Amino acid sequence: MKTTLTLLLFCLTPLVWAQEFGSISGNLTDEEVNNEPLPFANITLKNTNKGTTSDFDGNYEITQVPEGTYTVVFSFVGYETVSIPGVKIKANQTTRLSTGLKSSAAALEEVMITAVKSRDSEVALLLDQKNAIQMQQSIGAEELSRKAVSNVEQGVSKVSGITMVQDRGVFVRGLDDRYNYLLVNGLPLASSDPDFKIIPLSYIATSIVSSVDVLKTFSPNLYSDFAGATFKINTPKAPAKPKTQINFGVNYNTKTTFKDFYTDDASGTELFGYTGDSRALPSEIGDLSYSASPRESGELFSTSWTPKKRKAPLDTRFGITHGQRLFSSDNSNLGMVLSMNFRNSHRAQDGVERTLNSEGTAGQDFTSSTYEYRTQKSALLSLDYNLYEKLDLTFNTIYLQNSSNFIREAYGRNDGFTQLNNRDFFIRDMRYTENQQVNFQLLGKYALDGKRQELHFASAVGLGNNQVPDRRVLRAAGVGEDAEYITTNGINPFKFYQELDNQNFNARVAYRLGLLPTESEEFMGHLEIGYQTDLIAYDFFNKFITAQVNTNNLPALNTNNPQDFFETGFANGFLSYSSTFDPTAKSEITQGIHAGYLQFNRQWEKIVLEAGVRVEKAIREISYREPLDRPDTPFSKIKYDPLDINPSLNIKYSLNELSNLRFTSSITNTRPRLREILPTVYQNGDGNQVIGNPDLLNSTNYNLDIKYEIFPSNAELLAVTAFGKYLKNPIERLARSTSVGYRTFFDNFESAHLYGLEFEMKLNLGNVSKIDQLKPWQFGLNAILMNSKAQADENDPRFAVVTHKERKLQGASNWGLNADLGYQLFDKEQLESKINLIFNTYGKRIYAVGVEGADEIYEKPLNQLDLTWNTQFNKKFGVKLTVRNLLNEETLFTQDPTQNVRFPDRFSNQIERFDQGITFGLNFTYTF
């Protein structure tokens, strides 16, 4: 593959100089605002693949244009298109052509666009990528819409080196969520979920997004906490003309829709993802031990142990977005964007779940079914004020909320439980989870001395909450009407409460000075000095409440309606609720970052250099109690406050007008997820557990990237990147098999390294082949080939339990592939229609590291094929048809034996397997 791509790069390059060429340049202005420069407008030569976009000053230039006569087309979303025919291009000469655009009375395109500095078109973002000093890839609202993407996670999964994994976010170059960082408008947004390092990008609807920048390399003005990527989400600003867009959609899943579905509905508002007080912890149950009488137990809770059965309806989605300028004068304007979105989904899955020892013998062998009803809400209110040439201010309110109503049922052999009497073990886990957060941002830029001196400043306050209220776990011997209530192994049915609150404050200020001015008032160099801070306070609480039995003569338990058993038990006095004091139930974690940085860039004719250093003081303090502490025992404290120095170097060398060679190196850090350091055991109900390690160290990452890129046209790209990383103290997920399941924990391995090649391609097949009939076809390809190794000293006692002291890095695949093929059915004034076929896959990777003789748990490749069909009528009415997961492959985890298989006739290496079904979607938009 590497040889093929190299040959293609070198074959395409000389085609550009095969004829006599001239160029065209000029300036584009905005007639709506006193002929101010209009950046990011499109300039194309009709019936050719030649084009570009205007820069921040409205200037443009198209080079390497074959001699001839052309029609030049100037366009910008929300503005009238201007076509100028008969423009002559002469060899070795530059033709000057300037014009102005005015707003169109017609409704805008499907995507909300900033009238002054829009960056969400594919052409504009590709120009950004070409001109940027750092290595970056971006995806904007235009491309998100074309591929019928509804959330940011689906969008970034189309970027090279990135794969999307169900319920575990995105993997960048084989590195999972732990190694990524998230910025929204340049400011951090703390995750409210302890299991995720960053907010899952699937929570963020694309309607509140203008563009997403994916930065896989480091610059000092970024937080150093990443080795995979920093995702920079940019929200939209107000359009030049008022625009309102309404969208409504439905989804049908072959595995779920119109079939039997189970939910745990505690109140009517949970249909919209808000639980209210119906699941609240009773006030009688405090932090200390508590025992209720049978009668009191029957009155403590309003929730039921019996799930509700119904038919799963169609999934639905609804959103409305409005933007407009509130006022505009000769030197200032105020704009507004308001967007609100809601979507829900129903998913039922069947599969198997097993735990294996080193001989391949299953301690647990379950057939399982899961049912999950999800809701997701996102909202944005943005106000932007511009005092031209002097002050820009933006105030954003961002609201994200999601809920999960989850039921898991499993039954089968479980050797860790004694009271089964040769019957199947049965477990039902009913778990409701709600996450919500609100973030207030103020961003500004003030020009002190024209373009020479600028002051950039921003701050944000965020509040987040994660709660798992009244989770219920029921276990029994047998299934159906004649099951047996289990009272041994200390595993009485239990209720569980978890709540995590976080408060987040962050800010940044930077002074930017232009150096080496030119005659055109541009600067060949810049110096930037800045300060950033990010402070987070977490308050964690959980509570277990068990159902105790005080008789040996229990009636049968009907697992289809266990609520009757509990009501009978409370009424007849043989069941009661109790809760014991748990010293580890409460903990507090504070994390803070104080950072200063210095960054310098210098531009020559063909070389751009950026060098800088960042100094970060990362503070972490954990307050907690040990499992045997008393209620009056003071909290123990673990403090960790390393000082990190993070240098970086970025060099871009322009080989010619169409190609760049890039080099970058840096040192960054990786900090753990909250769950990984929480000193609390999280019970999964079936014997599986997760426990954090408050002594985890941050990883140190040494990064190196080299990239060669060619831009055959303003909408095409060919690129190859070689990268390498060395990780010191990488954080790893380890899994130990116990008598009743797996115990997952976390530790620092000694070191790891990974290296590989990334390929990126965006081509028009007609331009490449010179065949006009193929011009409606677009092809995109992102691929990665990678190798990794994690290793530890065999004599180090910290790694004594690890089975393999040398192996692949946990979470890293050897390869990954994203490809899309698009066909333009129609492209007329009143009708535009395009079909896209999108494919994603990745190589086998380690999900959890094996310990105590057991092998690693592997996640097998999952091939996903999606189809999208977008049609736009009259610039107002749009229809999107999507088919996701056409191949309908199963998700599969495996674990191989490390010793001779004890029972070959019943051996299987499958740990977990489940299917997802095919999802058909239909979405309508109306813009006015």
Side-chain angles (χ1 to χ4, degrees), residues 166-179:
Q166 186 184 36
D167 298 327
R168 287 189 286 126
V170 294
F171 282 56
V172 182
R173 292 177 170 175
L175 301 173
D176 64 14
D177 158 87
R178 182 193 302 118
Y179 294 92

Side-chain angles (χ1 to χ4, degrees), residues 152 578 602 644 785 810 812 906:
V152 173
S578 69
R602 172 73 161 92
D644 299 312
L785 296 175
Q810 182 252 317
R906 64 185 194 213

Side-chain angles (χ1 to χ4, degrees), residues 659-670:
S659 61
N660 296 319
L661 183 64
R662 300 176 181 271
F663 170 87
T664 179
S665 64
S666 63
I667 301 175
T668 60
N669 310 101
T670 298

